[in-house]
Amino acid sequence: MSTTPSTTTPHSMLAFVLKAYGGAEQACLEQVPVPVPNARQLLIRVRAAGLNPVDFKIRRGDLKIVQRYQLPAVLGNELAGEIVACGDQVHRFHIGDRVFARVAKERMGAFAQFAIVEEDHAAVIPASLDFATAAAIPLAGLTALQALRDELRVGKGQRIFISGGAGGVGTFAIQIAKHLGAQVATTASPRGAALVRQLGADIVVDYTQEKPVSVLSGFDGAFDLLGGDTLEQAFSIVRLGATVVTVAGIPEPQTASKDLGRGLGLQALFWFASFSLRRRARQHGVHYRYLFMHPSGADLSELARLVDAGVIKVIVDSVHPFESIIDAMAKLESGHAKGKIVVTMP
Ligand SMILES: NC(=O)c1ccc[n+]([C@@H]2O[C@H](COP(=O)([O-])OP(=O)(O)OC[C@H]3O[C@@H](n4cnc5c(N)ncnc54)[C@H](OP(=O)(O)O)[C@@H]3O)[C@@H](O)[C@H]2O)c1
């Protein structure tokens, strides 16, 4: 294997670069050097990249307490493309392989013509998928899989509440929960109701008309994608002793240790920040857990298998040319995407 990119790999590339934390005007398209992989990394010619709320949260500086980037930095957290160079110690992949990945959180870099991916974070793209559809899977798919399988341990016959079922994570979560044997209740507006039903949701609560807590109770677990009032309602929707996992609420001490591998400082900070939420969860007799998903090539291979088997259908809201990424990001930030928004590279 060779770390040397092929002679057709240029020295510079178009990338979506964050200049300073702040509004949409702080990120722009510009030429930057093509990155060089180390011995355990892959250099990918990016064909498509998925957009996620974490992209604009990073841009705004919302996540600085967890991850502070040295700016300027190339944005973007998930991609699909072809390998153009492999480090000397890469054993599972070859130049030319079609792969997809949630890239390393500390580096990002997916919104570019070339990007670095750790070998352990990549997986071969499902044979049935094009690059744009494959790029829609990693971050949202891994989040849903890790929350439902590892945190909620969803099993046959359980009743699971998933808030916000029509978005990027929700469309995966409904299908994975159904695959694990659960009955699923979700919330959606009339804009997303048909979609979530088509994906298998057994009960759909129109959140524009009624509160889920007024019609749902006794559930075996909840996966919250919204935070705020909906998260607090989930405490009353699940039965005594059940777990509410959120990816949109407030991190708690386990988030710092288990998901981020951080020490007592961040654990203490999250302990204070989540104090009243955890107290309310305790008052309802339920467990509260905030999950930060992690990149995983092994879990992505499992998602690829489920997609190839027809268990998971990837829902793509829209595909935009990379040159229009500012508009695509504005659309995502409006909060009404149905499934995933993707950009394709020139
Ligand atoms: N911690 C982690 O590791 C992690 C990982 C992934 C995602 N997240 C977070 O999880 C959240 C969801 O991510 P996503 O990618 O699924 O977002 P998304 O795709 O932007 O979600 C948009 C969807 O949410 C629906 N929605 C908005 N308000 C709603 C409400 N009150 N009730 C029900 N549905 C509502 C919208 O439907 P309508 O248009 O019908 O309103 C839309 O279909 C974000 O905050 C994201 O940052 C965290």
Side-chain angles (χ1 to χ4, degrees), residues 48-70:
L51 274 57
N52 294 279
V54 72
D55 300 320
F56 60 75
K57 290 181 182 179
I58 288 170
R59 188 203 72 217
R60 294 194 306 226
D62 296 358
L63 304 180
K64 270 194 281 193
I65 198 159
V66 174
Q67 187 74 58
R68 188 179 278 270
Y69 296 95
Q70 201 176 349

Side-chain angles (χ1 to χ4, degrees), residues 1 15 23 47 49 80-81 126 138 151 167 190 222 230 270 282 290 317:
M1 306 270 181
R47 296 296 186 183
E151 299 296 332
T230 313
F270 287 171
R282 256 196 325 274
Y290 180 99
D317 174 287

Side-chain angles (χ1 to χ4, degrees), residues 53 57 143 168-169 189 191 207 226 247 290-291 293 336-338:
K57 290 181 182 179
T143 303
V169 179
S189 73
R191 292 181 292 265
Y207 76 86
L226 296 164
V247 287
Y290 180 99
L291 171 73
M293 59 78 64
H336 297 298
K338 298 287 161 285

Side-chain angles (χ1 to χ4, degrees), residues 146-148 150-154 159-163 218-252 254-255 277-278 280-282 284-291:
Q146 291 167 5
L148 295 163
D150 305 339
E151 299 296 332
L152 286 169
R153 296 166 190 255
V154 173
R159 297 166 73 225
I160 301 296
F161 171 57
I162 298 170
S163 61
F219 274 64
D220 299 298
F223 180 28
D224 168 64
L225 309 178
L226 296 164
D229 176 54
T230 313
L231 168 59
E232 298 212 15
Q233 289 182 56
F235 295 154
S236 306
I237 288 171
V238 298
R239 62 169 168 73
L240 215 61
T243 298
V244 173
V245 174
T246 182
V247 287
I250 297 173
E252 35 76 35
Q254 233 195 317
T255 319
L277 257 182
R278 287 185 293 109
R280 258 162 286 161
R282 256 196 325 274
H284 285 90
V286 307
H287 304 287
Y288 174 68
R289 168 88 167 102
Y290 180 99
L291 171 73

Side-chain angles (χ1 to χ4, degrees), residues 117-141:
V117 170
E118 327 299 312
E119 178 180 26
D120 289 351
H121 295 173
V124 171
I125 290 175
S128 55
L129 295 190
D130 58 25
F131 286 121
T133 315
I137 298 175
L139 201 150

